[in-house]
Amino acid sequence: MSYAIIGFGNIGKALAKAFARRGIEVSVATTRDPKSFASAAAAIGPTIIPKTLAEAVKADIVFLAVRFEAAPDVAKALSKWDGKTIVDVTNAYGVPPEELGGQPSSKFIAQAFSGASLVKGFNHLGAATLAQDPSVQGGRRVVFLASDDDAATGAIGTLAEKLGFEPIKLGGLSEGGLLVQARGNSWGQLIFKDLVKFD
Ligand SMILES: NC(=O)c1ccc[n+]([C@@H]2O[C@H](COP(=O)([O-])OP(=O)(O)OC[C@H]3O[C@@H](n4cnc5c(N)ncnc54)[C@H](OP(=O)(O)O)[C@@H]3O)[C@@H](O)[C@H]2O)c1
């Protein structure tokens, strides 16, 4: 399984730190020449590999860590996303619901990534919290996952565990998934809830 993070700002770097902590290789890409962020990637760790967007989207699992408005541009990097899983880390806060045809933001994004499975997740915490070691006083920091594809949720749940998080499955994008999606100027009820699971 290969991994990429598209977007290397606050949240892309927080995700990269999670991969680096566990020594798991992940590509990172933005709109820019990878040389321009190579030193920032190296500072996080040797498993963080700067690539062009065209190269990075070859990964099996692609974290979408760009501003919501930039997602359609990322989708254009491939004509078909068949067989890939997109992890939608965006928050569509402030985007008028009518611009999304009244749909949850993740469904809007899923339409752009034709053929891919989409899991909404890793988006409910601020970047500074997500960047920290998810091992907290013997417990594991929770990430929420929502998807209409159970197999994809399972695969991202397994990855979340490998990264040291505790995944909690919320169900479909239009059901439990709404708890972690911004709508207009309001936040889903689970956004910013920093929870830790103890055995
Ligand atoms: N910040 C948080 O605490 C937080 C928490 C949860 C979720 N989120 C969500 O995470 C997403 C990213 O937030 P952020 O704070 O990390 O934003 P950011 O710091 O502005 O980073 C955005 C990144 O996306 C890249 N980018 C922009 N357009 C692109 C494109 N078309 N193709 C590839 N890369 C592109 C930018 O690089 P270049 O412009 O150099 O190409 C930059 O590296 C947003 O949707 C936000 O709502 C943020």
Side-chain angles (χ1 to χ4, degrees), residues 4-26:
I5 301 166
I6 310 305
F8 197 45
N10 299 304
I11 211 80
K13 285 180 179 143
L15 288 165
K17 283 177 187 166
F19 279 84
R21 202 176 285 119
R22 297 296 167 127
I24 302 173
E25 193 166 289
V26 65

Side-chain angles (χ1 to χ4, degrees), residues 87-168:
V87 185
D88 175 15
V89 193
T90 67
N91 281 326
Y93 186 81
V95 178
E98 50 276 18
E99 279 185 23
L100 312 180
Q103 307 174 92
S105 64
S106 56
K107 286 225 169 196
F108 184 86
I109 288 203
Q111 283 168 355
F113 289 84
S114 168
S117 301
L118 182 137
V119 178
K120 180 86 192 164
F122 291 84
N123 65 299
H124 83 286
L125 296 169
T129 304
L130 188 71
Q132 291 168 23
D133 191 329
S135 173
V136 183
Q137 295 173 10
R140 292 178 304 281
R141 176 164 283 122
V142 165
V143 289
F144 297 108
L145 304 179
S147 178
D148 295 335
D149 182 325
D150 288 344
T153 314
I156 301 306
T158 301
L159 173 61
E161 285 170 352
K162 266 194 202 169
L163 297 175
F165 293 91
E166 175 72 24
I168 292 186

